[in-house]
């Protein structure tokens, strides 16, 4: 039992539902069958939120406790107007009907090309088929069904003191702060309530998915869901829940970075010596978004000048520091000291290293933060020139 | 006579000065020999401003009228500390000495790899050789000497009513708002004064170089200089000067976009129907910085979903608009209408078209603005993975 069915009280399935051009599975269903369910969700901040995001936001706002999540790949159902909303509603209604719930308890997620309606009939048939085949062993199938350009399904399983957390994620493309991956479902058999779950999930998202940034692009469909079944019988504190969900989300977000489109390096950018965590994050994000720096990493070039020039675009009020006090280390070698030349760049080993560690010390305070990103490669360009999303 | 020597009262040269690895010319000299000189300059906002930028800013702040510009490629002299400052000062002193001016009248510009000192002796020898060979015909040589990854020298020549404007630019890489190209020198034989020239230049920069954005990266060395000799005898109004300098800068900035590293398309993103010009610019810049959109253009894919999803990341307070009122046209075809599906995307012709026109109508007001950028290609990644800057 892996992924979303690792914790007790969940059924899942992954089936073919006619949305993809190939024949892989493209519809996942996750059902919380616990007697004491609770739920939480976080959505994209994009102003062109997709129909399923608008729907699912309404579900959460209604105060209901959703116990079902339907997720499809092969189409984002974004920028599809009222017809797109009708498709999402029909999907939720179909799931509610065959599972025996209210449609207001069904969260819907979609991923794929923007601006195209889904193929509704095969989608609804897929929902029926998923409901018929879902099982306590369906986590792996569900994780596979939500993949788009992912090269492998991403799941997580954690054992806590008498309770469990599981999860799945897809997201190798439009990953950015705001919310960092397209679709994530985390499940737990802990006993909790909606308000506690929401606070724990928000905290986890901020510390994990909001700190990975593959290409600075925020999706119209990003959705992160937490479902709790209560089936372990263990009532958890908000802190314990937040800690476990953060660990699960960290694991999944690192898998997303590891499988980012076309990447040859994973880059951890830690900014330390900042006046505040926000200041550290702002500088780290500016570096993570420099195409020049990311190309240099692809070329195994420890180009600290591109790191400084990216950091230098942050306004002083957003991150106070003095240019001539900044140190930069790449893979442990302090190539820049006091804003100038440090150790010889020849000492930095990057070729053959999947992981690149960049540390920038602003020497302005004691706060730090890390953003995770990737290099910019031929393959990133290729995938995104040839694959429509 | 082309480029910086097109207007009367200027001498220029481009010589070999030992900074590059190849044997091309790498030092340009521009001297204003007019009897009534004036000058203006705009610099990068990057907090890691290079030594030549710090030097030249001081020259401008001193109230002096600079009449000499020394520009080298092959090294940025950025993040080089006090030794770098000494190299810039020595360069200015050498130029002042051989030309017969004060070092406080010499502007210095550098472009190339960050974090490496220049080769001072050959540089100073280059300054002497440039001073010995400069002529009223040297504009072409000067434009060639400042090239880095540019594939051709960029010059401009304008004829006004009895006066002229000329100029040269290099900049195919670190181009972004804030200031959009590494090195630009515009010359005119108009009769004006420093304050008028400065206002005209600032206005021109805002309307041209600040509206091109190749990769969102702002250089440590960006410098835009205006030198006026007064030799035409024609005293110009600020409006006339601003208009002519804007035209020259527009021409040069479009050449930079046309020659941007590895680009296969030039993209003009016009946002109209905005509540203010700033709002239009903010949305246009967000689109221009979407790697996903820029990859789609490389793939000749009229992917309006990526345009909307980039626009959707702009906070409502920065650009008020309703998601379901936004139209998007690509090369004249309205592929998105009211935030949803419009004309068939098959109708958009992009393959074989160097220029791509994107128009986004927010339907929120009457202001508009255009940002110029490029697609993201294999060759961009290749150049920036293999070329250190």
């Amino acid at each position: 039992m892996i992924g979303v069915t690792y914790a007790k009280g969940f059924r899942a399935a992954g089936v073919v539902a006619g949305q993809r051009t190939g024949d892989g599975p493209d519809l996942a269903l996750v059902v919380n069958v616990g007697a004491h369910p609770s739920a939480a969700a976080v959505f994209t901040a994009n102003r062109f939120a997709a129909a399923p995001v608008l729907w699912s936001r309404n579900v959460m706002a209604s105060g209901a406790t959703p116990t079902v999540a339907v997720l499809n790949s092969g189409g984002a159902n974004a920028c599809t107007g009222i017809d797109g909303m009708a498709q999402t509603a029909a999907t939720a209604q179909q799931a509610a009907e065959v599972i025996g719930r209210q449609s207001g308890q069904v969260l819907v997620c979609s991923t794929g090309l923007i601006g195209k309606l889904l193929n509704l009939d095969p989608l609804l048939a897929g929902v029926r088929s998923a409901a018929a085949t879902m099982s306590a062993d369906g986590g792996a199938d569900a994780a596979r069904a939500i993949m788009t350009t992912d090269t492998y399904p991403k799941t997580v399983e954690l054992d806590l003191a008498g309770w469990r957390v599981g999860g799945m994620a897809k997201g190798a493309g439009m990953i950015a702060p705001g919310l960092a991956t397209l679709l994530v479902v985390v499940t737990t058999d802990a006993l909790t309530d909606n308000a506690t779950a929401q606070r724990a999930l928000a905290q986890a998202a901020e510390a994990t998915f909001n700190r990975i940034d593959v290409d600075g692009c925020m999706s119209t469909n990003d959705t992160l869901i937490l479902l709790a079944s209560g089936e372990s019988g263990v009532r958890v504190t908000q802190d314990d829940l937040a800690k476990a969900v953060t660990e699960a989300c960290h694991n999944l977000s690192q898998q997303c970075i590891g499988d980012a489109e076309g990447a040859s390096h994973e880059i951890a950018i830690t900014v330390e010596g900042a006046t505040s965590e926000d200041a550290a994050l702002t500088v780290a994000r500016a570096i993570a978004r420099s195409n020049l720096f990311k190309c240099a990493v692809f070329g195994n070039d420890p180009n600290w000048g591109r790191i400084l020039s990216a950091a230098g675009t942050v306004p002083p009020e957003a991150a106070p520091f003095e240019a001539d006090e900044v140190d930069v280390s790449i893979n442990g070698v302090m190539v820049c000291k006091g804003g100038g030349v440090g150790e010889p760049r020849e000492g930095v080993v990057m070729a053959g290293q999947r992981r690149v560690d960049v540390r920038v010390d602003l020497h302005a305070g004691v706060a730090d933060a890390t953003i995770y990103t990737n290099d910019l490669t031929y393959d990133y360009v290729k995938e995104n020139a040839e694959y429509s999303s």
Side-chain angles (χ1 to χ4, degrees), chain A residues 81-159:
Chain A
I82 192 71
D83 293 341
M85 283 304 296
Q87 291 196 327
T88 295
T91 305
Q93 276 148 12
Q94 179 71 90
E97 194 180 310
V98 292
I99 300 164
R101 308 281 161 99
Q102 303 295 317
S103 65
Q105 294 178 288
V106 179
L107 299 171
V108 182
C109 304
S110 300
T111 173
L113 184 66
I114 297 174
K116 200 174 66 84
L117 285 166
L118 302 172
N119 301 320
L120 191 60
D121 288 342
L123 187 73
L124 299 184
V127 171
R128 295 191 293 271
S129 145
T133 58
M134 67 181 185
S135 74
D137 206 28
D141 287 346
R144 195 165 296 112
I146 59 173
M147 288 166 60
T148 55
T149 56
D150 306 66
T151 64
Y152 57 85
K154 296 164 185 68
T155 62
V156 66
E157 299 83 24
L158 299 180
D159 281 294

Side-chain angles (χ1 to χ4, degrees), chain A residues 267-273 280 283-284 287 327 329 355-362 367-372:
Chain A
I267 310 170
I269 301 164
T270 300
V271 174
E272 52 198 6
V283 174
I287 298 166
D327 300 333
S329 297
R355 169 79 175 237
V356 175
D357 274 300
V358 173
R359 298 190 82 85
V360 177
D361 192 335
L362 302 178
D368 65 86
T370 302
I371 291 284
Y372 300 90

Side-chain angles (χ1 to χ4, degrees), chain A residues 66-334:
Chain A
T67 54
V68 179
V70 180
L71 310 91
N72 76 274
S73 54
N77 197 4
C79 304
T80 44
I82 192 71
D83 293 341
M85 283 304 296
Q87 291 196 327
T88 295
T91 305
Q93 276 148 12
Q94 179 71 90
E97 194 180 310
V98 292
I99 300 164
R101 308 281 161 99
Q102 303 295 317
S103 65
Q105 294 178 288
V106 179
L107 299 171
V108 182
C109 304
S110 300
T111 173
L113 184 66
I114 297 174
K116 200 174 66 84
L117 285 166
L118 302 172
N119 301 320
L120 191 60
D121 288 342
L123 187 73
L124 299 184
V127 171
R128 295 191 293 271
S129 145
T133 58
M134 67 181 185
S135 74
D137 206 28
D141 287 346
R144 195 165 296 112
I146 59 173
M147 288 166 60
T148 55
T149 56
D150 306 66
T151 64
Y152 57 85
K154 296 164 185 68
T155 62
V156 66
E157 299 83 24
L158 299 180
D159 281 294
L160 290 309
W163 56 292
R164 288 177 163 183
V165 174
M168 65 180 185
K170 70 79 43 192
M174 300 174 85
I175 293 185
L179 192 63
T181 196
L182 282 185
L183 308 181
V184 185
V185 180
V186 175
T187 54
T188 177
D189 46 24
L191 197 57
T192 181
D193 56 80
N194 291 349
T196 303
Q198 187 65 42
R199 285 191 296 265
L201 184 64
Q203 203 174 319
E206 175 53 32
T208 60
F209 286 105
N210 275 347
R211 298 200 178 181
I212 68 176
D213 188 340
V214 167
D215 57 15
C217 297
M218 178 169 57
S219 160
T220 51
N221 289 60
D222 296 322
T223 303
L224 169 53
I225 293 169
L226 172 62
L227 301 175
S229 69
E231 287 297 293
S232 70
V234 178
R235 181 164 291 280
V236 294
T237 65
Q238 185 185 313
D239 267 9
D240 285 344
L241 185 61
K243 207 175 142 195
V245 173
T246 299
E247 188 180 337
C249 287
H250 178 73
N251 182 306
L252 291 170
S253 69
Q254 291 297 311
Q255 290 187 56
C256 289
I257 281 288
D259 193 27
E261 285 173 358
S264 72
H265 289 288
E266 295 157 40
I267 310 170
I269 301 164
T270 300
V271 174
E272 52 198 6
T275 53
S276 68
E277 191 177 3
D278 272 355
L281 279 173
T282 303
V283 174
R285 283 196 211 286
I287 298 166
R289 291 191 175 176
S290 165
N291 281 350
L292 285 173
F293 163 63
K294 292 164 73 154
C295 285
V297 173
F298 174 50
N300 294 311
D301 172 13
N303 197 317
W304 58 270
R306 292 182 182 177
I307 294 171
L308 288 192
S309 79
T313 63
V314 173
E317 60 275 19
F321 64 82
E322 295 301 324
D324 59 2
E325 290 179 1
V326 176
D327 300 333
V328 178
S329 297
I330 303 176
N331 282 355
V333 180
M334 195 179 285

